[in-house]
């Protein structure tokens, strides 16, 4: 069996880390071919104690204390944690996930077969588990955008990678010099993705329920906008054609308001067609992934979608700094 390393960055994850580690421990991949490295990034809660207790009888798990003195000079936060974990990884393949993610039992077996013909990076899909109405909207949003990423990938158009459900070959990672060469980024997964492609490696974007991971929801809308501030840094770094799509998507709400004032009947037809297309797309992808519990949110998603896209854009330009895990970037 191929040696695999799973890298998990954790900071103040006392509420999430056990669910993550339990899902990793339940993986069907043989433990003798598996290395799990958890980087504890100076957590101020009980994250370290919870990890230590859980891995006490699991020799293939290891908690790595990430100390400021060990930091690479150009790195900080999650990027620094992952760089240090990758240095310790022994696997031929590096699997990346987050401390608030639950992975499926067949995660590794269903990701590895896609590494063919110079593929350097494979990324899966993620949905949200729980969280009431806001969690339901986030889950539909994740799957909605990931389905379009998959569609574009079929035409060879790369968009980004999912750092909570991503695999890279050691060869590809070392070819770009690792995170310590790439430097700091609040969207470290996107930075690694683009660097690997720039080196001539191919990518695979999956849309397969067998590699569907589940994340914890962002509990409030205010916190959601903080998260999306980080995401927007990646969005505005996309090639110009894709970047235009980001702005068109974000400005759909004010466009519809103006159109409603000038041509109200035509605006209603445009909105009807938009709602119909979004709903039909969601129903088809939920059927494909066999996620019937999410159907209840489909009639409401269009409104959340157009409002949140506009709010993300305004928030990106108004909010001066990015706060993540208690740190200011």
């Amino acid at each position: 069996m191929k040696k695999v390393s799973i890298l998990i960055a954790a900071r103040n994850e006392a509420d999430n880390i056990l669910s993550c580690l339990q899902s990793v421990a339940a993986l069907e991949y043989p433990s003798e071919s598996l290395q799990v490295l958890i980087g504890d990034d100076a957590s101020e809660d009980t994250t370290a104690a919870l990890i230590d207790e859980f891995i006490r009888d699991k020799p293939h798990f290891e908690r790595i204390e990430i100390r400021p003195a060990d930091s690479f000079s150009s790195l900080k936060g999650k990027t620094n944690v992952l760089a240090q974990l990758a240095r310790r990884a022994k696997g031929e393949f590096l699997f990346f996930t987050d401390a608030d993610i639950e992975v499926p039992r067949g995660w590794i077996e269903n990701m590895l077969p896609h590494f063919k013909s110079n593929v350097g990076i494979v990324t899966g899909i993620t949905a949200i588990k729980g969280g009431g109405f806001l969690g339901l909207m986030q889950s539909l949003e994740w799957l909605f955008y990931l389905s379009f990423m998959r569609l574009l990938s079929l035409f060879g158009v790369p968009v980004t990678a999912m750092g909570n459900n991503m695999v890279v070959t050691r060869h590809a990672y070392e070819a770009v010099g690792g995170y310590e060469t790439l430097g700091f980024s609040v969207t470290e997964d996107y930075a690694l993705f683009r660097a690997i492609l720039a080196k001539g490696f191919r990518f695979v974007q999956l849309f397969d329920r067998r590699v569907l991971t589940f994340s914890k929801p962002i509990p409030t809308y205010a916190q959601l906008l903080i998260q999306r501030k980080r995401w927007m840094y990646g969005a505005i770094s996309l090639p110009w054609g894709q970047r235009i799509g980001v702005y068109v998507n974000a400005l759909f709400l004010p466009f519809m308001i103006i159109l409603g004032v000038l041509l109200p009947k035509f605006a209603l037809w445009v909105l009807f067609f938009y709602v119909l297309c979004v709903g039909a797309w969601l129903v088809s992808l939920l059927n494909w992934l066999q996620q019937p519990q999410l159907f209840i949110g489909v009639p409401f998603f269009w409104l959340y979608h157009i409002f949140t896209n506009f709010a993300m854009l305004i928030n990106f330009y108004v909010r001066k700094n990015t706060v993540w895990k208690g740190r200011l970037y």
Side-chain angles (χ1 to χ4, degrees), residues 217-230:
I218 303 297
T220 69
Y221 201 79
Q223 290 173 291
L224 182 71
L225 290 179
I226 293 174
Q227 180 200 58
R228 301 310 165 80
K229 171 77 173 180
R230 292 171 49 247

Side-chain angles (χ1 to χ4, degrees), residues 18 21-26 31 34-36 38 50-63:
L18 286 183
L21 296 181
Q22 286 165 358
S23 71
V24 172
S31 60
L34 185 61
Q35 177 192 35
V36 182
I38 310 110
L50 290 170
I51 295 172
D52 289 343
E53 175 60 24
F54 184 83
I55 69 174
R56 184 167 46 86
D57 57 348
K58 300 175 181 62
H60 58 296
F61 281 69
E62 183 180 2
R63 180 177 69 86

Side-chain angles (χ1 to χ4, degrees), residues 195-257:
I196 288 175
L197 297 190
K199 284 291 183 179
F201 292 94
R202 296 174 59 242
F203 75 100
V204 174
Q205 168 71 55
L206 299 176
F207 200 77
D208 186 336
R209 63 179 177 273
R210 296 174 299 175
V211 297
L212 174 62
T213 63
F214 285 95
S215 177
K216 296 291 181 64
I218 303 297
T220 69
Y221 201 79
Q223 290 173 291
L224 182 71
L225 290 179
I226 293 174
Q227 180 200 58
R228 301 310 165 80
K229 171 77 173 180
R230 292 171 49 247
W231 288 13
M232 281 295 292
Y233 277 111
I236 64 170
S237 301
L238 291 168
W240 68 267
Q242 296 175 30
R243 203 180 314 159
I244 289 174
V246 171
Y247 283 103
V248 169
N249 204 24
L251 294 174
F252 184 74
L253 177 60
F255 168 76
M256 286 303 301
I257 292 173

Side-chain angles (χ1 to χ4, degrees), residues 31 35 43-44 54 79 84 98 135 144 152 164 167 174 186 215 227-228 257 283 285 290 327 329:
S31 60
Q35 177 192 35
S43 294
E44 299 164 334
F54 184 83
T79 313
Q84 295 197 42
D98 288 344
F144 183 79
L152 289 172
N164 60 20
V167 192
E174 292 179 347
V186 293
S215 177
Q227 180 200 58
R228 301 310 165 80
I257 292 173
V283 168
L285 69 89
Q290 296 182 10
R327 289 176 174 156
Y329 298 105

Side-chain angles (χ1 to χ4, degrees), residues 8-302:
I8 306 170
R11 173 171 166 78
N12 297 339
E13 295 286 358
D15 293 337
N16 304 315
I17 193 64
L18 286 183
S19 295
C20 174
L21 296 181
Q22 286 165 358
S23 71
V24 172
L27 287 170
E28 296 172 345
Y29 205 72
S31 60
E32 61 269 19
S33 299
L34 185 61
Q35 177 192 35
V36 182
L37 299 177
I38 310 110
D40 177 23
D41 187 15
S43 294
E44 299 164 334
D45 58 8
T46 59
T47 296
L50 290 170
I51 295 172
D52 289 343
E53 175 60 24
F54 184 83
I55 69 174
R56 184 167 46 86
D57 57 348
K58 300 175 181 62
H60 58 296
F61 281 69
E62 183 180 2
R63 180 177 69 86
I64 310 297
E65 183 179 355
I66 306 299
R67 297 172 299 183
D70 298 329
S71 300
F72 294 102
S73 59
S74 61
L75 302 180
K76 54 186 174 180
K78 185 179 179 181
T79 313
N80 175 59
V81 176
L82 294 177
Q84 295 197 42
L85 294 183
R87 283 283 184 97
R88 295 172 179 260
K90 300 176 181 178
E92 181 183 350
F93 295 88
L94 306 180
F95 277 68
F96 295 83
T97 192
D98 288 344
D100 62 350
I101 291 287
E102 295 178 28
V103 300
R105 293 174 63 88
W107 186 42
I108 297 175
E109 292 91 336
N110 288 301
M111 295 285 263
L112 287 181
H114 297 279
F115 283 97
K116 301 175 181 177
S117 304
N118 200 38
V119 171
I121 183 166
V122 173
T123 185
I125 53 175
T126 299
I128 301 295
K129 185 177 181 180
F133 181 77
L134 183 58
L136 176 62
M137 292 298 103
Q138 291 175 61
S139 195
L140 291 174
E141 183 181 28
W142 279 69
L143 295 176
F144 183 79
Y145 281 115
L146 289 172
S147 66
F148 281 104
M149 287 171 54
R150 167 62 175 171
L151 180 63
L152 289 172
S153 76
L154 295 177
F155 295 94
V157 179
V159 179
T160 189
M162 296 285 295
N164 60 20
N165 191 350
M166 180 176 76
V167 192
V168 303
T169 63
R170 174 172 290 280
H171 176 55
Y173 184 81
E174 292 179 347
V176 303
Y179 277 121
E180 54 267 44
T181 298
L182 298 181
F184 171 72
S185 172
V186 293
T187 52
E188 80 295 327
D189 45 5
Y190 175 75
L192 182 60
F193 177 70
R194 300 305 303 190
I196 288 175
L197 297 190
K199 284 291 183 179
F201 292 94
R202 296 174 59 242
F203 75 100
V204 174
Q205 168 71 55
L206 299 176
F207 200 77
D208 186 336
R209 63 179 177 273
R210 296 174 299 175
V211 297
L212 174 62
T213 63
F214 285 95
S215 177
K216 296 291 181 64
I218 303 297
T220 69
Y221 201 79
Q223 290 173 291
L224 182 71
L225 290 179
I226 293 174
Q227 180 200 58
R228 301 310 165 80
K229 171 77 173 180
R230 292 171 49 247
W231 288 13
M232 281 295 292
Y233 277 111
I236 64 170
S237 301
L238 291 168
W240 68 267
Q242 296 175 30
R243 203 180 314 159
I244 289 174
V246 171
Y247 283 103
V248 169
N249 204 24
L251 294 174
F252 184 74
L253 177 60
F255 168 76
M256 286 303 301
I257 292 173
I258 294 171
L259 188 64
V261 172
L262 300 177
L263 300 167
K265 290 184 178 180
F266 181 64
L268 285 174
W269 277 110
V270 171
L271 185 61
F272 172 78
F273 183 72
Y274 175 84
V275 172
L276 184 66
C277 289
V278 169
W281 185 266
L282 282 174
V283 168
S284 64
L285 69 89
L286 293 179
N287 274 323
W288 174 261
L289 295 174
Q290 296 182 10
Q291 298 295 311
Q293 74 279 8
L294 300 180
F295 279 123
I296 191 173
V298 172
F300 311 101
F301 177 73
W302 67 271

